[in-house]
Amino acid sequence: MHQMTLAEIARGLADKKFSSEELTKVLLARITQLDPQLNSFISLTEDLAIEQAKAADARRANGESGALLGAPIAHKDLFCTLGIRTSCGSKMLDNFKAPYDATVVAKLAAAGAVTLGKTNMDEFAMGSANESSWYGAVKNPWNLEHVPGGSSGGSAAAVAARLLPAATATDTGGSIRQPAAFTNLTGLKPTYGRVSRWGMIAYASSLDQGGPLARTAEDCAILLQGMAGFDPNDSTSIDEPVPDYSASLGESLQGLRIGVPKEYFSAGLDPRIAELIQNSIQQLRKLGAVIKEISLPNMQHAIPAYYVIAPAEASSNLSRFDGVRFGHRCENPENLIDLYKRSRGEGFGAEVQRRIMVGAYALSAGYYDAYYLKAQKIRRLVKNDFMAAFNEVDIILGPTTPNPAWKLGAKNSDPVAAYLEDVYTITANLAGLPGLSMPAGFVDGLPVGVQLLAPYFQEGRLLNVAHQYQLNTDWHTRTPTGF
Ligand code: GLN
């Protein structure tokens, strides 16, 4: 039962092959049995799950239908969940029970999805390895000595290990696409503003975007359908109609123009990954796509710009965690300043503190023009590169990451080495564009992802290309041994 995709679950539930309650119990037992190896969950919500599953079964018995009605999922632990701990992977929020549901959580619950729990993540979504969580590192089910990617590593490891079919995640600089690549999943970062950020604890507000992690493009379409849409509670949410993502999956790729940026194949890329990317290009060519070399000349400046902008926004967003209204508070503060200093010093881990300091520095009066303003100018250049490219092509294709999943601890002493691994993903966040990663093969038994980028609001095109690719390849069907 645990092998089923969301699409298969929807068919099985519609055909009354099993109930949502039965399936939910099977998956909860599987999580209890197998998750100690992975550490992919921070909280399990068994009672809520059974209650939601029974309610979904009752709705089906009353004649309701829907692809998510009775479908078991989990939420990355930065989506606020009413009355349930929402920790953001941080000691700071270990005792925080959200007083309301995030829009994404509420929308999926209304569609009948069943919440099995809250998944582990890098602290405040800062990281590419899921090692900065206060609840401990997450392990990659493909090799338990390797990282699953981050920051949505819990969602990725859980879905890859078949503990559940799909999960929500967020992507500020790659945190949906990179863990998808590292664990052989399909993950989609939507256009900025497509999915509401209301109730999604902010890391870098101008970059953060929620999206689906699943095994197939077909399942990402189902989950995105339940997440996307205008939300008056989020001032950056965009009032654009949500297309039927499943309906466009079957379109032919004949004549699709795919751009391959020459900058992607530089010295930093593992040649074995480069070869797998070439294979996926060949596959898409066979399906009718036309390949064109393009250039994204400002890509080289994207990492420095991102690692100024994201920490700058983080330093501002995280100032609310001061030990006063909610979150961790130190014992016996001597005065207000002592309360702030010790609560924040004890509540935040090293990577979060590093970013707050970098961000506060970049925003300080004497350095604003030199760092923050400069980074914003680079951001515009990165966006302009994409706009020019999309005049010539429909999709941009390349590797999701320059290397496969590294060993746990391998980059702990050198944060910049980890930042450099984000080279292919962060440009989409800087520009606000949608991006998808899908399985493209293996290197040393570790999964490799191919990334597709599209113009604003063309999530349907990304899902269509990925689905057609998956109808003709079987990488996405591979299961990690032991799971
Ligand atoms: N690795 C990037 C960072 O640490 C991206 C994280 C994310 O997308 N949340 O900022």
Side-chain angles (χ1 to χ4, degrees):
M1 243 179 168
H2 61 267
Q3 292 288 358
M4 287 186 294
T5 62
L6 276 184
E8 288 162 352
I9 289 169
R11 281 195 289 275
L13 288 171
D15 295 346
K16 300 194 168 44
K17 295 226 168 82
F18 47 85
S19 68
S20 173
E21 188 182 349
E22 274 173 81
L23 174 63
T24 298
K25 285 181 172 160
V26 167
L27 295 181
L28 285 171
R30 196 170 153 79
I31 294 169
T32 310
Q33 184 202 343
L34 293 174
D35 198 46
Q37 293 178 61
L38 299 169
N39 197 28
S40 66
F41 278 86
I42 289 175
S43 306
L44 266 188
T45 52
E46 286 115 323
D47 295 346
L48 172 70
I50 301 292
E51 191 188 305
Q52 287 179 324
K54 283 183 176 160
D57 288 334
R59 282 168 65 179
R60 276 199 190 268
N62 279 333
E64 265 190 71
S65 60
L68 287 165
L69 187 54
I73 59 160
H75 293 294
K76 183 174 180 178
D77 206 19
L78 54 54
F79 286 100
C80 284
T81 38
L82 173 69
I84 296 165
R85 173 169 58 181
T86 300
S87 75
C88 231
S90 182
K91 177 180 177 186
M92 181 58 88
L93 290 178
D94 182 53
N95 64 6
F96 175 61
K97 286 193 176 147
Y100 65 102
D101 277 334
T103 298
V104 161
V105 172
K107 278 173 85 84
L108 289 171
V114 173
T115 303
L116 302 184
K118 306 288 297 287
T119 55
N120 205 343
M121 56 181 283
D122 274 308
E123 187 176 6
F124 284 98
M126 297 172 189
S128 310
N130 217 128
E131 293 182 282
S132 75
S133 169
W134 189 63
Y135 301 88
V138 178
K139 317 255 167 60
N140 189 326
W142 288 93
N143 184 329
L144 297 172
E145 288 177 5
H146 287 248
V147 303
S151 63
S152 313
S155 290
V159 176
R162 275 60 175 166
L163 305 186
L164 75 174
T168 61
T170 63
D171 191 311
T172 304
S175 285
I176 292 176
R177 291 161 288 158
Q178 188 251 17
F182 279 11
T183 59
N184 208 42
L185 297 181
T186 308
L188 174 70
K189 178 203 105 64
T191 307
Y192 183 76
R194 175 75 296 182
V195 168
S196 169
R197 293 185 298 108
W198 170 257
M200 203 177 101
I201 296 175
Y203 160 19
S205 311
S206 77
L207 302 159
D208 297 342
Q209 190 59 200
L213 261 174
R215 272 147 52 200
T216 63
E218 192 181 22
D219 279 8
C220 282
I222 292 171
L223 194 53
L224 180 63
Q225 201 75 47
M227 298 172 79
F230 176 62
D231 179 5
N233 286 334
D234 171 1
S235 61
T236 58
S237 169
I238 297 178
D239 197 355
E240 276 277 316
V242 181
D244 182 339
Y245 295 117
S246 299
S248 55
L249 291 174
E251 284 170 19
S252 154
L253 305 191
Q254 201 62 46
L256 179 86
R257 297 169 304 166
I258 298 184
V260 181
K262 60 173 192 255
E263 291 81 4
Y264 279 8
F265 295 87
S266 65
L269 177 64
D270 183 326
R272 299 167 300 174
I273 293 187
E275 198 182 320
L276 291 172
I277 300 307
Q278 292 303 338
N279 294 348
S280 65
I281 291 173
Q282 282 311 326
Q283 186 63 49
L284 289 165
R285 200 180 254 138
K286 274 195 225 151
L287 298 176
V290 184
I291 313 297
K292 194 173 165 139
E293 185 182 91
I294 58 163
S295 176
L296 298 172
N298 291 293
M299 187 182 139
Q300 54 176 319
H301 306 304
I303 289 184
Y306 173 90
Y307 278 100
V308 168
I309 294 169
E313 293 186 17
S315 73
S316 166
N317 275 327
L318 271 59
S319 63
R320 75 191 63 171
F321 304 108
D322 57 6
V324 175
R325 277 160 299 177
F326 52 83
H328 174 75
R329 177 181 295 178
C330 67
E331 299 282 341
N332 309 318
E334 282 169 21
N335 53 41
L336 187 61
I337 297 296
D338 185 46
L339 168 81
Y340 288 157
K341 278 186 171 169
R342 283 203 287 125
S343 299
R344 287 167 68 80
E346 292 164 10
F348 291 137
E351 185 60 27
V352 173
Q353 294 193 24
R354 179 180 297 122
R355 301 216 189 177
I356 290 173
M357 286 194 287
V358 168
Y361 181 82
L363 289 175
S364 58
Y367 297 102
Y368 183 91
D369 289 0
Y371 296 111
Y372 188 71
L373 200 62
K374 191 94 175 175
Q376 291 289 22
K377 288 179 180 169
I378 292 171
R379 184 172 190 174
R380 174 51 64 104
L381 294 176
V382 167
K383 178 185 168 179
N384 289 350
D385 281 358
F386 279 122
M387 295 304 101
F390 283 127
N391 281 330
E392 297 175 53
V393 297
D394 304 310
I395 290 268
I396 293 174
L397 180 148
T400 307
T401 62
N403 294 294
W406 53 88
K407 276 204 158 157
L408 284 151
K411 293 189 198 286
N412 279 356
S413 57
D414 185 359
V416 176
Y419 301 169
L420 293 174
E421 297 292 320
D422 298 336
V423 59
Y424 297 119
T425 48
I426 56 178
T427 51
N429 303 76
L430 289 171
L433 292 166
L436 175 148
S437 180
M438 60 183 185
F442 292 82
V443 162
D444 290 337
L446 291 164
V448 167
V450 57
Q451 177 177 242
L452 308 173
L453 303 175
Y456 297 112
F457 295 102
Q458 297 305 318
E459 287 80 7
R461 187 183 298 167
L462 293 174
L463 292 163
N464 167 221
V465 176
H467 181 65
Q468 291 303 314
Y469 177 81
Q470 291 178 343
L471 287 177
N472 292 280
T473 53
D474 66 359
W475 302 118
H476 64 287
T477 65
R478 312 280 173 100
T479 311
T481 320
F483 296 96

